[in-house]
Amino acid sequence: MFLARKFTAFALAPVLFAGPIPASHAFQAHPQVDARAIPVDEGAVELWQQLKKLQTRASLMMIVAHPDDEDGATLAYHSRGVGARVALLTLDRGEGGANVMSSDYWDALGLVRTEELLQAGRYYGLDAQYFTSMADYGFSKSLNEALGQWGHDKVLEQAVRVVRTVRPLVVCSVFVGGPTDGHGQHATAGLMTQEVFKAAGDPKMFPEQIKEGLFPWQPIKTYARAPFLRVTEKGMYDYANHTWGPVGVTNHITGKWEEGKPAVNVSIPAGSFDQVIGATYAQVSREGLGYQRSQNGGQSIPLPGAQMSDYHRFGSKIDSPAKEESFFDGMDTSLTGIAELAGAKPPAFLKPGLQEVSSQIDAAMKGFSAQKSAAVAPMLAKGKLKIESLIAETEKSDLSAEAKYNVLHELRVKQRQFNDALVAALQVKLNADVIPAGQEDNMMAAMRGASATFQMATPGQAFPVKVHLYQPTQPSLTVKSVKLVGTSGKDWSASGPASPTTLATEKAADLVFKVKVPADEPYTRPYFTRAGLQNAAYDVAPGAAKNTPLSPYPLQAEATLEYEGATVQLASVVQVVSKVNGPGTLHYPMPVGPALSVAMSPSAGVVPLDSKSIRVSVRVHNNEKGAATPSVKLALPDGWTAEPKQIPIKFSQEGEEQTVAFTVTPKVAGAKEYTVTAVAELDGKQYTEGYVTIGYTGLRPYFLYSSAKYVTTGTDVKMAPGVSVAYVEGSGDDVPSALEQIGVHVSYLSAQDLANADLQKYSAIVLGVRAYAVRPDLIANNARLLQFVEKGGTVIVQYNTPEFDHNYGPYPYVMSGDPEEVTDEKSVVKILDPKNPVFNWPNKITEKDFDGWIEERGSKFLQSWDPKYTALVETHDTGQPEQKGGLIYARYGKGVYIYNAYAFYRQLPLGVPGAFRLFANMLSLPKNPEIK
């Protein structure tokens, strides 16, 4: 595993946490996590959208399986167009997918896609995002398989918890809970959307949630995107299982089969043009979707035009016609509709009070001016004060506990929305940056802009933070307080000047605070972990906020102002600053981490049984602010020794990294697992874990921690001597570093090498995953690869997507636009040509070498091929036709060409012994005595 991968990051999306609002909650502002809002959420555009939210209590929650499944245009239409309160629940984080942007896979990829979805959510206009603790274990072809992996009740319990937290009027999904969803995890999302509609309002379902303080909640309607069915005279095509069946869907609420193509009950005009925003909601959403680059590679924003999203209604608690104009037809979504939550006899004060608030909102909307946003602030202040008086009266009322909870929830939502609208009307800005020590009073530095700072705070560290408060609309605003607050509840010893009592027009207040990181401050890391990839769910840390995207960042600035008697609150996460040529000055949330980050390389692998010695590396990253002199040693299995026994390291400054190497003499006894642990020591404290910074340029970073261990298995694996291997990197994989363990040292081929270098000096050339999708130079020089084979070389093409479907091999083949996958890593593998050289030298390969594989067998199998190719193995999932196109071998001239769809890029970095043995044989083909 790599340590502190190099990265830059633009300031990105806020992480929104919108759980149940307790009666004691005094602070109303969501923390601004990014340094600056996106353009569609600034200025008059922001204010207009906040006003639309105030005038309605419409609310919607969408449930999907993975990041990028969401119907972003529908979400944006409802949030930005209708003004509805909109939330998104994603069942997993996409850990099992591919990555076209970096070599982050599995749990690291889950964090990448979490950050990408959070950024996309800004454009969708989401009020909150949630995740379950489920992990994407790979492509799942059936609903039953997904439920078997995850557990039906475990998923439903978390979906019910989120619905009871958000309390939406409508729940919807893009999936129907059946085979047309094309993926078992997709179908699970559709199933849960319908089942949660029944379960969330039933107090007998998951009563432990009620004991925790969550009351039942019954949504009014549930919908799913009307599926795009492929219907012919054969019936309906099941994309997951590639079979034909009857046309229809199962209604999981009624348990009945609904024959025929699902009716479109409502069409959402997601392509509507918003004249204030200046774009369609579909365009805004597609800009957000484009930030999910690990899957789509980047943005593709359509031209404006009509676009409808069709939805089928699966259930309704009110009489609803077959054709509706909106999700909310038949519901009272006005502010006065909140009174319905109080029951048949609401308190006498409630409805008139809500009508009074509504009149203030109407006046604000009529008085809206893009040039004079503050003109509506007096109405908003009156509305906020009235909402707060209604909250106080409701708390003292004799309503039942559940009715009081429901009314207060909606009133506090409005309280927060009024706060946000006032901030937008007054155009108040709050920012908080770490600044270098000594620049507290440096005006010239302030004029030049933010200076680069440290990137990771450490326990016990002291440093200054500058809080910047600004307002451009009022002659004077009263300032009640400005402070720094640690989100973990620990004392940061923040000290600074007294807050100004007033804030004048365009006269910014800059306050410098001195803080000290608590010695026991938690590191900025995921609150969810799993022991291994075999686990289809994460373990959640005790006390963590369940179902939230990530833990809150550790330190934020909070400001409370007063306008015409109403409080106005802001919160902003403290940022660190970096400067990168090109992007320029970058801000991202300040993390807390260890003084030393330690990692082993490799972190998993094999030890050949005949190894006399192996080399392992320990990479140490310094977060100390200045010089540090740690030492590194290895904790070894019994009978193993290492030289040297301890290695000193000298760091002169923060951010330095050093890699030290040990020569280890192993004592291997057969196919047994061994663990080597790296231990770094500094100032009497030992460090045995490290983090990688996930992501890529343009994505806010996050940090995945793991123990500094090398877990290896004794393996009978041999490699032909004298083999020289070149590697053409694709979208990113860790195969080259894994091959080092069996003595293979690869040379990387650049675009210039592919075009001009003498390729014949290599024995074999391996193409990284998705190479044809990301390397145009490979396509341009493909003929040189075939010449290399013809003259005696071996080319191994690893997993590629349909970009490979252009006959790049020596003979014709067909991949198809929808190539097959075999997702069950335990699927039976049959060797079809046991006499083939691939299976016989230098390792004798049997079907047992396919035991212990992780996550999947392979992806993007060939569909057909020229007879000159030989299919070497066959496997398939249950119910799937035999798949022989995963390992295809051809002699061409004096050499060998192989297309390999099996997931070696997953198996080798995780130390799967059989994968090493088979890959060693493929690499050894140029030296194989059977190859003439």
Side-chain angles (χ1 to χ4, degrees):
M1 184 170 285
F2 296 105
L3 259 173
R5 187 178 297 130
K6 298 293 184 183
F7 67 90
T8 59
F10 301 106
L12 299 180
V15 182
L16 300 175
F17 304 101
I21 306 171
S24 61
H25 186 85
F27 202 80
Q28 301 156 18
H30 284 304
Q32 175 182 301
V33 177
D34 54 308
R36 186 174 179 181
I38 59 176
V40 76
D41 286 333
E42 290 189 308
V45 179
E46 177 195 16
L47 175 58
W48 180 243
Q49 291 176 99
Q50 294 294 346
L51 293 176
K52 285 197 284 188
K53 284 186 173 294
L54 277 174
Q55 70 172 349
T56 180
R57 61 175 290 256
S59 52
L60 168 71
M61 192 177 92
M62 183 176 286
I63 302 176
V64 297
H66 319 97
D68 98 338
D69 288 344
E70 66 280 352
D71 180 355
T74 290
L75 294 171
Y77 168 80
H78 282 97
S79 177
R80 300 188 180 279
V82 176
R85 181 166 54 92
V86 176
L88 176 66
L89 169 62
T90 308
L91 298 187
D92 65 45
R93 299 169 186 264
E95 297 88 343
N99 185 356
V100 304
M101 292 298 295
S102 68
S103 59
D104 292 315
Y105 287 105
W106 297 289
D107 295 357
L109 179 57
L111 292 176
V112 168
R113 291 190 171 174
T114 297
E115 290 285 4
E116 289 177 331
L117 186 58
L118 289 171
Q119 173 143 346
R122 290 195 300 162
Y123 290 84
Y124 305 156
L126 296 180
D127 292 275
Q129 288 198 40
Y130 299 90
F131 293 83
T132 74
S133 62
M134 302 301 112
D136 178 2
Y137 52 84
F139 187 83
S140 178
K141 294 187 175 179
S142 73
L143 174 61
N144 287 338
E145 179 188 353
L147 294 177
Q149 288 273 6
W150 282 346
H152 174 280
D153 289 354
K154 188 172 183 178
V155 183
L156 181 60
E157 185 274 332
Q158 295 185 57
V160 166
R161 178 184 296 276
V162 175
V163 168
R164 288 173 174 172
T165 297
V166 176
R167 309 182 90 71
L169 294 175
V170 173
V171 290
C172 69
S173 182
V174 297
F175 305 116
V176 300
T180 57
D181 293 328
H183 193 309
Q185 294 171 16
H186 292 170
T188 301
L191 172 69
M192 291 299 137
T193 304
Q194 295 176 49
E195 291 205 0
V196 81
F197 181 74
K198 297 187 296 181
D202 184 353
K204 296 179 182 178
M205 294 295 293
F206 311 112
E208 66 278 7
Q209 296 178 4
I210 312 299
K211 294 177 182 177
E212 294 171 13
L214 273 177
F215 280 87
W217 176 256
Q218 178 59 63
I220 306 302
K221 297 180 188 177
T222 183
Y223 296 86
R225 188 82 178 263
F228 299 101
L229 302 178
R230 180 181 169 190
V231 179
T232 72
E233 66 280 358
K234 293 182 181 181
M236 178 181 70
Y237 193 64
D238 178 341
Y239 288 93
N241 297 310
H242 301 285
T243 58
W244 295 92
V247 177
V249 294
T250 299
N251 185 322
H252 297 286
I253 297 171
T254 64
K256 295 180 180 179
W257 170 262
E258 295 181 355
E259 193 75 26
K261 189 173 181 179
V264 174
N265 299 110
V266 61
S267 295
I268 306 301
S272 301
F273 189 87
D274 189 307
Q275 295 189 37
V276 175
I277 293 175
T280 68
Y281 302 114
Q283 286 181 298
V284 175
S285 73
R286 283 286 292 274
E287 189 170 358
L289 181 65
Y291 283 96
Q292 300 193 54
R293 294 171 182 162
S294 66
Q295 300 175 81
N296 58 38
Q299 292 178 351
S300 176
I301 301 173
L303 295 173
Q307 177 181 322
M308 306 299 287
S309 295
D310 294 333
Y311 280 80
H312 174 69
R313 187 181 64 244
F314 277 95
S316 176
K317 291 296 180 179
I318 59 176
D319 290 333
S320 299
K323 193 66 177 178
E324 299 176 298
E325 294 299 318
S326 79
F327 284 156
F328 304 106
D329 280 9
M331 305 181 202
D332 184 355
T333 59
S334 67
L335 256 65
T336 55
I338 294 174
E340 295 179 357
L341 299 172
K345 294 183 178 181
F349 64 82
L350 187 55
K351 196 163 187 177
L354 290 168
Q355 288 171 338
E356 183 179 334
V357 173
S358 185
S359 67
Q360 295 295 340
I361 297 170
D362 290 342
M365 296 197 75
K366 290 176 183 177
F368 169 77
S369 167
Q371 290 77 30
K372 296 181 179 179
S373 63
V376 303
M379 301 81 130
L380 296 175
K382 290 176 183 177
K384 185 173 188 290
L385 289 169
K386 185 59 182 179
I387 280 287
E388 288 169 348
S389 73
L390 292 176
I391 290 173
E393 289 183 272
T394 301
E395 288 174 336
K396 294 184 292 184
S397 72
D398 59 359
L399 285 171
S400 69
E402 185 170 349
K404 185 180 291 188
Y405 185 98
N406 288 334
V407 172
L408 286 173
H409 184 276
E410 292 286 346
L411 292 178
R412 291 193 178 108
V413 166
K414 289 301 160 193
Q415 182 187 31
R416 281 190 171 181
Q417 289 178 345
F418 266 113
N419 185 80
D420 294 344
L422 267 171
V423 170
L426 299 172
Q427 290 294 299
V428 188
K429 307 295 180 184
L430 176 69
N431 295 89
D433 288 336
V434 171
I435 57 174
Q439 290 193 11
E440 292 89 339
D441 300 312
N442 189 333
M443 294 303 297
M444 291 301 296
M447 292 174 64
R448 289 194 300 268
S451 299
T453 66
F454 64 80
Q455 302 301 294
M456 177 75 74
T458 55
Q461 179 188 354
F463 55 89
V465 173
K466 183 176 74 173
V467 178
H468 180 83
L469 186 62
Y470 171 87
Q471 67 89 10
T473 67
Q474 301 301 302
S476 179
L477 272 180
T478 300
V479 179
K480 306 293 285 186
S481 67
V482 180
K483 57 186 177 181
L484 291 178
V485 178
T487 59
S488 69
K490 300 184 183 300
D491 182 12
W492 281 67
S493 303
S495 62
S499 302
T501 56
T502 59
L503 188 65
T505 308
E506 298 184 349
K507 299 293 185 181
D510 287 317
L511 291 81
V512 176
F513 292 82
K514 293 182 178 180
V515 299
K516 185 176 182 180
V517 185
D520 56 349
E521 177 68 20
Y523 297 159
T524 304
R525 64 196 305 170
Y527 67 86
F528 45 90
T529 57
R530 53 176 173 163
L533 297 179
Q534 71 278 6
N535 295 351
Y538 291 104
D539 297 318
V540 175
K546 295 178 180 178
N547 303 121
T548 53
L550 300 165
S551 298
Y553 286 97
L555 187 64
Q556 64 188 37
E558 296 180 354
T560 301
L561 297 86
E562 186 177 291
Y563 172 79
E564 295 197 1
T567 57
V568 182
Q569 297 180 322
L570 301 93
S572 185
V573 170
V574 172
Q575 310 278 311
V576 290
V577 183
S578 61
K579 291 196 172 184
V580 179
N581 289 337
T585 300
L586 307 177
H587 297 75
Y588 54 88
M590 184 197 75
V592 171
L596 299 177
S597 177
V598 188
M600 292 282 290
S601 180
S603 60
V606 296
V607 179
L609 295 182
D610 58 357
S611 290
K612 299 295 186 291
S613 66
I614 58 175
R615 285 180 64 81
V616 297
S617 298
V618 180
R619 194 173 185 183
V620 183
H621 177 89
N622 179 41
N623 287 320
E624 284 283 276
K625 308 306 178 276
T629 55
S631 62
V632 182
K633 62 182 178 181
L634 300 179
L636 297 163
D638 291 342
W640 291 41
T641 60
E643 289 295 334
K645 290 182 170 56
Q646 183 170 292
I647 301 177
I649 295 178
K650 291 185 178 180
F651 291 121
S652 60
Q653 60 187 351
E654 180 214 3
E656 280 188 288
E657 293 179 355
Q658 289 190 33
T659 299
V660 296
F662 293 85
T663 300
V664 176
T665 302
K667 185 177 181 182
V668 182
K672 185 179 177 182
E673 189 175 277
Y674 301 89
T675 300
V676 177
T677 302
V679 181
E681 188 168 336
L682 178 66
D683 297 332
K685 184 175 180 179
Q686 291 189 337
Y687 298 85
T688 59
E689 69 171 352
Y691 62 86
V692 290
T693 303
I694 63 91
Y696 47 82
T697 301
L699 183 70
R700 184 174 63 204
Y702 208 70
F703 311 96
L704 180 64
Y705 281 77
S706 60
S707 298
K709 293 181 178 180
Y710 171 42
V711 180
T712 187
T713 304
T715 302
D716 184 11
V717 55
K718 302 177 181 63
M719 182 70 203
V723 175
S724 57
V725 178
Y727 207 84
V728 180
E729 283 190 285
S731 60
D733 62 73
D734 293 328
V735 168
S737 59
L739 292 176
E740 295 277 344
Q741 298 171 79
I742 57 173
V744 177
H745 309 289
V746 306
S747 300
Y748 291 92
L749 296 182
S750 66
Q752 185 174 0
D753 293 332
L754 281 174
N756 301 307
D758 177 16
L759 301 182
Q760 299 306 138
K761 65 182 179 180
Y762 302 108
S763 308
I765 297 175
V766 181
L767 308 190
V769 301
R770 298 195 63 173
Y772 282 93
V774 299
R775 293 286 297 264
D777 58 301
L778 173 61
I779 296 172
N781 294 289
N782 190 71
R784 296 197 75 224
L785 285 183
L786 297 182
Q787 291 172 2
F788 167 76
V789 175
E790 191 173 22
K791 294 179 180 180
T794 293
V795 164
I796 302 168
V797 182
Q798 293 190 89
Y799 146 78
N800 267 266
T801 42
E803 292 88 354
F804 182 64
D805 201 9
H806 291 282
N807 284 319
Y808 292 120
Y811 312 111
Y813 59 82
V814 174
M815 174 179 277
S816 87
D818 184 24
E820 292 279 359
E821 304 184 16
V822 180
T823 62
D824 184 359
E825 67 275 16
K826 297 179 182 178
S827 63
V828 175
V829 176
K830 297 180 181 178
I831 294 178
L832 302 176
D833 185 14
K835 295 182 179 180
N836 190 280
V838 166
F839 301 122
N840 290 288
W841 190 85
N843 306 289
K844 180 63 178 177
I845 303 300
T846 69
E847 290 165 2
K848 289 184 178 180
D849 285 295
F850 292 92
D851 292 346
W853 282 48
I854 296 170
E855 188 172 310
E856 65 178 355
R857 283 298 185 202
S859 180
K860 308 302 181 285
F861 284 44
L862 296 185
Q863 185 181 84
S864 61
W865 46 89
D866 187 278
K868 293 185 179 70
Y869 290 106
T870 300
L872 298 181
V873 292
E874 185 280 323
T875 190
H876 59 275
D877 288 326
T878 301
Q880 181 185 29
E882 291 187 346
Q883 297 301 311
K884 300 180 180 179
L887 193 61
I888 302 297
Y889 169 100
R891 292 298 307 273
Y892 181 64
K894 298 179 180 179
V896 175
Y897 185 93
I898 293 175
Y899 175 72
N900 161 49
Y902 282 77
F904 286 91
Y905 74 100
R906 296 190 188 276
Q907 313 311 315
L908 297 180
L910 293 174
V912 176
F916 274 94
R917 286 165 45 81
L918 181 52
F919 213 88
N921 278 16
M922 289 190 286
L923 292 175
S924 299
L925 284 171
K927 304 293 183 180
N928 192 311
E930 294 184 44
I931 304 293
K932 297 180 181 179

